[in-house]
Amino acid sequence: MSLNLPPDGSKSPSSEFTPLTRFLVRTTLFGLVMLSLYLVLILSSELLVFTDNPNFSLPLFKGENGFEWTRLREADTTKNVDVLIVGSSLGMSIDVRRFNEFGLRAFNLSSGSQSPIQTKYLLAKYLPQFQPKYLIWDFHAYTFSNYGIESIVDIVSNCQDCTAILPMILQTENPLAINTYIKRVIFRPFEDPSFVEPRQSEFVRYIAGGYMETNFKSSDAIMEMQSFRYDALDLQKKTFEDELKMLAERGIKLILVSSPKSFEYNSNFINSEEWSKYARHLVEIGLVEDYLDFNELLPEFQHNTAFFIDIAHLAAPGVSAYNDALITELSNKMRSLN
């Protein structure tokens, strides 16, 4: 029987590897190749040829999405505010300057589609230095019904120390959120440290204290929508209630605010009363000091089309009228705080 040995009598190099070793080597090489391709794909998503393709786009909205870059940079250096405002883009309509008349300092940390899990991250990061006496939380049922991926992308795109964000991202198990985080980590070391975001454009202007002053006009288009309902994700509801308990333990008074919506929105929101009862229940059990539903407090507001740019977001006249009503409702609380 021939052993087919090499001329020098040594064993063939391939015979030195067992089947398991060869499998592990090949698997590792395949993994490295796939990782390289993945990273190339992530990085190439920054190219202009891809950014307009919604199926491939993985944008980093640094300084391009509601002044989040400027807001977070200001928040990093802000201490000891009296009133903190959190919530979705609807909460961004609360003008921090209106609290000056009570001699109070306010900061607005609201951002687009901010859900309870993003609010939790922001509170954990900024409460120790803000030390607010009152917290106003924009109560919007939509933010309980999803994971707030838009908000995650916004925060990740504009974070400096992004480490603490990772647990929140992993909670969502969302590929877009995870990929955006990885891309941000890759690009972070190459950022221009002197970057300053322009604070004004044609329709918006950033105001110190996190507020975004808008000059959007009302829409001329007829607003129509089908009936809808919002059902809370268990994770969002639990996170929300845990944050309420945390605020109560810290002695921070909390007010839930439901901003005024259009008639089209209110008339098609099937389970709106369910959410109102939930908010009032939180007041009854002492987790919330007050719940202000401006769809009830301002019943005629919803019929004024000049107040809205869409079914829920306010045009400049609507923002002004809403803030007038909000400050009136809060005046006694704010005076006693001062």
Side-chain angles (χ1 to χ4, degrees):
M1 178 184 296
S2 174
L3 297 177
N4 295 322
L5 294 175
D8 60 359
S10 62
K11 295 182 180 180
S12 170
S14 62
S15 65
E16 296 178 359
F17 298 100
T18 64
L20 177 60
T21 302
R22 287 196 294 271
F23 171 77
L24 292 175
V25 170
R26 291 170 180 171
T27 301
T28 301
L29 290 174
F30 176 78
L32 291 173
V33 170
M34 294 305 296
L35 176 62
S36 300
L37 290 174
Y38 167 72
L39 293 176
V40 169
L41 188 65
I42 290 288
L43 295 175
S44 64
S45 68
E46 189 72 5
L47 299 175
L48 291 177
V49 68
F50 295 122
T51 53
D52 290 332
N53 185 337
N55 296 319
F56 190 79
S57 178
L58 190 64
L60 288 177
F61 293 110
K62 189 174 84 168
E64 298 180 9
N65 195 11
F67 296 105
E68 191 69 356
W69 175 268
T70 301
R71 182 178 295 106
L72 293 181
R73 297 295 78 73
E74 185 183 0
D76 289 338
T77 58
T78 298
K79 295 181 179 180
N80 302 324
V81 302
D82 299 295
V83 180
L84 177 61
I85 303 154
V86 297
S88 69
S89 57
L90 303 182
M92 294 169 73
S93 295
I94 300 177
D95 191 342
V96 296
R97 295 171 297 185
R98 298 301 302 269
F99 294 88
N100 293 341
E101 60 192 78
F102 304 106
L104 301 176
R105 186 184 186 193
F107 198 100
N108 196 325
L109 265 182
S110 303
S111 56
S113 297
Q114 185 184 119
S115 74
I117 59 175
Q118 287 86 55
T119 305
K120 176 182 178 179
Y121 162 78
L122 293 170
L123 292 179
K125 184 175 178 64
Y126 293 112
L127 268 188
Q129 65 191 64
F130 279 7
Q131 295 292 318
K133 302 175 182 68
Y134 261 100
L135 189 140
I136 298 173
W137 195 319
D138 178 74
F139 185 71
H140 186 21
Y142 166 77
T143 63
F144 289 79
S145 65
N146 63 88
Y147 289 108
I149 301 304
E150 177 187 341
S151 180
I152 290 178
V153 171
D154 190 18
I155 293 174
V156 169
S157 298
N158 294 284
C159 66
Q160 279 195 314
D161 179 8
C162 304
T163 308
I165 300 177
L166 188 55
M168 173 182 67
I169 293 174
L170 295 178
Q171 274 186 310
T172 69
E173 300 179 350
N174 182 276
L176 177 60
I178 295 171
N179 291 338
T180 302
Y181 178 81
I182 293 173
K183 182 177 178 180
R184 173 67 172 155
V185 170
I186 294 173
F187 276 95
R188 176 77 177 83
F190 305 101
E191 286 181 346
D192 178 7
S194 62
F195 172 77
V196 177
E197 177 185 12
R199 295 197 173 200
Q200 186 166 354
S201 64
E202 182 180 1
F203 296 107
V204 292
R205 179 165 68 106
Y206 183 81
I207 304 297
Y211 177 60
M212 188 175 72
E213 182 182 67
T214 64
N215 191 31
F216 294 118
K217 297 180 180 179
S218 58
S219 174
D220 294 330
I222 298 176
M223 294 183 290
E224 294 183 356
M225 65 184 304
Q226 295 180 340
S227 297
F228 63 95
R229 61 180 292 123
Y230 290 130
D231 295 310
L233 298 176
D234 291 339
L235 172 62
Q236 295 288 21
K237 196 170 183 180
K238 181 181 185 305
T239 300
F240 176 64
E241 293 178 2
D242 286 347
E243 290 304 287
L244 299 188
K245 294 173 184 176
M246 178 274 295
L247 293 168
E249 290 171 358
R250 285 173 173 256
I252 300 173
K253 297 180 180 180
L254 174 65
I255 299 174
L256 296 182
V257 172
S258 181
S259 65
K261 316 292 193 303
S262 69
F263 173 78
E264 188 70 19
Y265 180 99
N266 291 327
S267 60
N268 284 286
F269 189 180
I270 296 174
N271 61 331
S272 61
E273 185 56 32
E274 173 187 324
W275 284 97
S276 294
K277 289 180 179 178
Y278 174 58
R280 293 189 182 96
H281 173 69
L282 295 172
V283 177
E284 292 170 0
I285 63 176
L287 283 179
V288 174
E289 180 175 285
D290 204 354
Y291 169 56
L292 302 176
D293 185 351
F294 284 92
N295 297 287
E296 295 180 355
L297 294 170
L298 304 173
E300 295 304 315
F301 196 105
Q302 63 182 326
H303 298 289
N304 192 332
T305 56
F307 283 170
F308 297 94
I309 59 175
D310 57 30
I311 58 171
H313 292 88
L314 300 173
V319 170
S320 178
Y322 172 40
N323 277 279
D324 286 343
L326 175 64
I327 290 300
T328 299
E329 290 294 325
L330 293 178
S331 60
N332 289 335
K333 292 182 175 64
M334 297 300 102
R335 288 194 183 96
S336 64
L337 176 61
N338 191 25

